């Protein structure tokens, strides 16, 4: 930005608004005109402050993980495997209940199916989903070592099961499922935990 000119908008607020658009529309569905309108800025300001659309998406994704999805990191610190899974499901349901606009999960639906131009975004979201599965598996392996889960527990499959249920909750939420319906599915999934 040239010397003497000051930015006329709040970066954090603009990024929050971009996050809402990406969350509601996905990466490819969010158009530049829609993003700039929501952010209250013009295209040159968007490029100067955030880079191109993909760079803006990545910044919004970082904000999403540090904000709305922070419950996942907190859940992994719970003292038992059961408490971890309960915190994951209840955190997700709480996040959906507190939303008045976009629902579901940006990491799940942001770019599952996309064109070639968005392939790097699709791969990044797939990597994030796999990172979560790996973190869960490692947490369950620790639970086995601590005697919290049975020694015979297939930690990799259990982690993928929990991630699959969570992803399904995201799809159901985006499709209009109520918090009560999400809680009932979560409670049924809890019955599948080894004891």
């Amino acid at each position: 930005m040239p010397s003497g000119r000051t930015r006329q908008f709040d970066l954090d607020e603009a990024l929050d608004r971009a996050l809402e658009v990406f969350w509601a529309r996905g990466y490819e569905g969010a158009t530049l005109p829609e993003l700039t309108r929501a952010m209250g800025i013009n295209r040159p300001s968007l490029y100067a402050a955030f880079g191109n659309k993909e760079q803006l998406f990545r910044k919004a994704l970082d904000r999403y993980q540090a904000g709305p999805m922070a419950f996942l990191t907190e859940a992994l610190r719970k003292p038992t495997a059961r408490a971890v899974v309960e915190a994951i499901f209840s955190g997700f349901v709480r996040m959906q209940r507190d939303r008045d606009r976009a629902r579901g999960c940006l990491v799940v639906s942001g770019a599952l199916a996309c064109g070639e131009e968005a392939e790097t975004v699709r791969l990044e979201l797939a990597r994030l989903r796999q990172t979560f599965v790996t973190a869960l598996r490692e947490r369950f392996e620790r639970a086995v070592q601590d005697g919290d889960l049975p020694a015979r527990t297939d930690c990799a499959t259990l982690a993928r099961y929990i991630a699959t249920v969570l992803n399904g909750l995201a799809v159901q939420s985006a499709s209009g499922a109520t918090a009560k319906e999400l809680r009932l599915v979560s409670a049924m999934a809890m019955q599948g935990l080894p004891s």
Side-chain angles (χ1 to χ4, degrees):
M1 185 172 298
S3 177
R5 293 193 61 195
T6 58
R7 187 170 278 132
Q8 299 296 316
F9 63 94
D10 181 280
L11 284 172
D12 290 332
E13 186 177 319
L15 192 54
D16 285 340
R17 290 178 180 175
L19 170 56
E20 290 294 330
V21 173
F22 284 126
W23 198 343
R25 312 271 294 144
Y27 176 74
E28 282 191 323
T31 65
L32 283 174
E34 186 176 20
L35 287 163
T36 55
R37 189 170 43 256
M39 296 167 76
I41 61 176
N42 59 30
R43 243 184 234 213
S45 294
L46 183 148
Y47 292 133
F50 301 104
N52 63 23
K53 180 181 172 183
E54 183 175 334
Q55 291 167 320
L56 173 62
F57 179 79
R58 289 176 184 277
K59 288 178 175 127
L61 187 58
D62 289 344
R63 196 163 188 86
Y64 177 73
Q65 291 178 280
M69 292 299 284
F71 70 88
L72 290 177
T73 303
E74 295 166 15
L76 290 169
R77 295 186 190 122
K78 296 292 183 186
T80 66
R82 181 166 291 282
V84 166
V85 177
E86 286 174 346
I88 288 169
F89 290 153
S90 66
F92 181 80
V93 171
R94 191 171 42 257
M95 179 182 72
Q96 300 305 303
R97 184 193 64 217
D98 294 344
R99 306 246 352 113
D100 57 355
R101 289 187 291 254
R103 296 184 65 193
C105 176
L106 179 61
V107 176
V108 172
S109 61
L112 277 179
C114 58
E116 287 180 24
E117 290 181 16
E119 182 65 6
T120 59
V121 170
R122 187 189 69 75
L123 292 173
E124 174 65 12
L125 294 178
R127 185 192 66 75
L128 288 173
R129 290 190 299 271
Q130 184 55 48
T131 297
F132 174 63
V133 171
T134 300
L136 266 179
R137 188 204 65 205
E138 290 170 353
R139 178 61 184 87
F140 293 151
E141 287 169 350
R142 200 167 75 242
V144 168
Q145 291 172 354
D146 294 345
D148 178 44
L149 285 174
R152 70 186 190 291
T153 302
D154 180 344
C155 296
T157 301
L158 180 58
R160 190 150 310 275
Y161 168 71
I162 297 303
T164 300
V165 172
L166 183 62
N167 293 346
L169 291 174
V171 171
Q172 289 296 310
S173 180
S175 300
T178 66
K180 180 181 179 183
E181 290 167 332
L182 298 176
R183 279 193 304 274
L184 289 171
V185 171
S186 299
M188 184 171 285
M190 291 296 298
Q191 296 173 16
L193 291 181
S195 55

